[in-house]
Amino acid sequence: MSPAVPSNPHAVTPQGAVAAPAPDPEIRVYGHSNLFYWWPVWALGFLFAFLTYLDGHMMAVVPAGTQVESGQVIPGHEGSPRDVLVAPAGQAVPPLPGTLNGEGEPRLRVANNNNYGVLFFGSVLLVVMVTNFLMRGLASVIFIASIIITGLVLALMGWWDTVLSFMGGLDVRINAGGYLVVAVPLFIMWVFSTFIYDHYTYLIVTRGQVRIRREIGGGEVAVDAGGLSLRKERDDLFRHWLLGLGTGDLHVKTGGPANMDFELNNVLLIGTKLARIQEMLREKEVTHEVVTA
């Protein structure tokens, strides 16, 4: 058997042979559901769970009317006065959460202040509002500026404590496990939606063809790229830039018999992808003019 002949990278195509054309590059565009904007919630959940664990304080559940008495001497611990919780007469302290038999030391970790809980639920409410109310252009700028100015004025005037007291002495505390109960499932859903579920609807553009799937379970439609029209909608500054990290809504209109007209929402890096698509379509037009000239 003859030895294998190594391939020559400088080999010249024989005269008369036709080289295979290079495949057209393709640009894939995916829209995303509004769940994409929920990343600050699971990110803050993991962060606050970690900070709460490091805080080093534990949570105790006591009946209403329990009082704190300072400087008490506990039998067996003479010489070291301690603060103790005194339950009302006739009432017992409930079994300690997180313990097997209700005895021992508390195990549920909680922060010493309520800043983490207030910020966490504030972020949840803000994301809910942003993902359900769309304000484009100047309206979104005015809205964000109003929130920032209001917060700064309350902070500079020292009115935050008064506001929280007026709201019933707001004191929101969550133990470390409570943050994880929200953060872990939300993170799993976010990853599944962003990298798997959302990729079942798409727009794929090449120099000669556009392939579209508008809904999960629907068929793929292929149309000529010649009549393709793409328009980027005006941004909602808070949704698309602060939470979306450069997302945007893309209006798609095709020509020909299909004549499809729809929007692909929450496209990541929309500016870069739109510029690449427009450049690809211009290259096609220039090539077509050169061939027909």
Side-chain angles (χ1 to χ4, degrees):
M1 183 173 63
S2 60
V5 179
S7 59
N8 183 6
H10 303 288
V12 179
T13 303
Q15 186 176 3
V18 179
D24 283 343
E26 63 179 29
I27 301 174
R28 294 173 174 262
V29 181
Y30 301 105
H32 293 283
S33 67
N34 284 340
L35 187 61
F36 177 78
Y37 298 117
W38 282 75
W39 65 266
V41 177
W42 59 255
L44 288 176
F46 286 123
L47 174 63
F48 291 155
F50 177 71
L51 294 178
T52 300
Y53 183 84
L54 293 181
D55 191 273
H57 289 82
M58 303 295 176
M59 182 177 68
V61 179
V62 297
T66 299
Q67 297 181 353
V68 179
E69 296 188 1
S70 303
Q72 299 298 311
V73 177
I74 303 176
H77 299 276
E78 289 77 5
S80 56
R82 302 187 179 188
D83 298 339
V84 297
L85 298 174
V86 180
Q91 297 191 41
V93 175
L96 293 175
T99 59
L100 297 177
N101 55 5
E103 298 179 356
E105 298 180 359
R107 298 181 182 178
L108 298 183
R109 295 180 177 267
V110 67
N112 188 37
N113 59 72
N114 68 346
N115 292 338
Y116 301 154
V118 172
L119 289 175
F120 181 74
F121 279 106
S123 67
V124 171
L125 294 176
L126 187 60
V127 171
V128 169
M129 182 177 61
V130 168
T131 55
N132 286 277
F133 297 96
L134 180 62
M135 293 175 288
R136 298 187 186 275
L138 183 60
S140 64
V141 176
I142 295 174
F143 175 73
I144 295 174
S146 300
I147 292 178
I148 294 175
I149 292 173
T150 301
L152 289 177
V153 168
L154 291 175
L156 292 175
M157 299 300 292
W159 291 345
W160 271 117
D161 290 338
T162 303
V163 172
L164 296 178
S165 298
F166 179 77
M167 298 174 64
L170 184 62
D171 191 345
V172 181
R173 298 174 192 266
I174 309 174
N175 62 63
Y179 289 115
L180 295 179
V181 164
V182 177
V184 172
L186 184 58
F187 174 72
I188 294 174
M189 289 188 291
W190 184 87
V191 170
F192 173 78
S193 173
T194 302
F195 298 104
I196 300 177
Y197 181 83
D198 292 341
H199 284 207
Y200 280 92
T201 57
Y202 51 77
L203 171 72
I204 301 178
V205 182
T206 63
R207 288 193 177 90
Q209 190 182 67
V210 179
R211 307 203 313 270
I212 301 169
R213 176 177 287 171
R214 298 175 56 183
E215 58 186 11
I216 296 178
E220 183 181 271
V221 178
V223 298
D224 184 74
L228 180 66
S229 173
L230 302 175
R231 184 182 76 248
K232 180 179 177 292
E233 301 290 353
R234 296 177 65 187
D235 289 330
D236 179 330
L237 183 62
F238 200 99
R239 174 186 293 194
H240 293 142
W241 287 101
L242 297 184
L243 293 184
L245 307 177
T247 60
D249 298 331
L250 185 64
H251 183 86
V252 182
K253 183 175 176 60
T254 65
N259 194 25
M260 303 175 68
D261 191 342
F262 63 97
E263 284 194 2
L264 204 58
N265 295 322
N266 309 325
V267 178
L268 189 61
L269 301 176
I270 184 173
T272 302
K273 292 181 179 179
L274 188 58
R276 291 175 57 199
I277 292 175
Q278 291 173 343
E279 181 65 24
M280 178 184 292
L281 296 179
R282 280 195 296 268
E283 289 177 357
K284 178 191 174 185
E285 294 176 357
V286 171
T287 305
H288 179 72
E289 291 176 358
V290 171
V291 172
T292 56

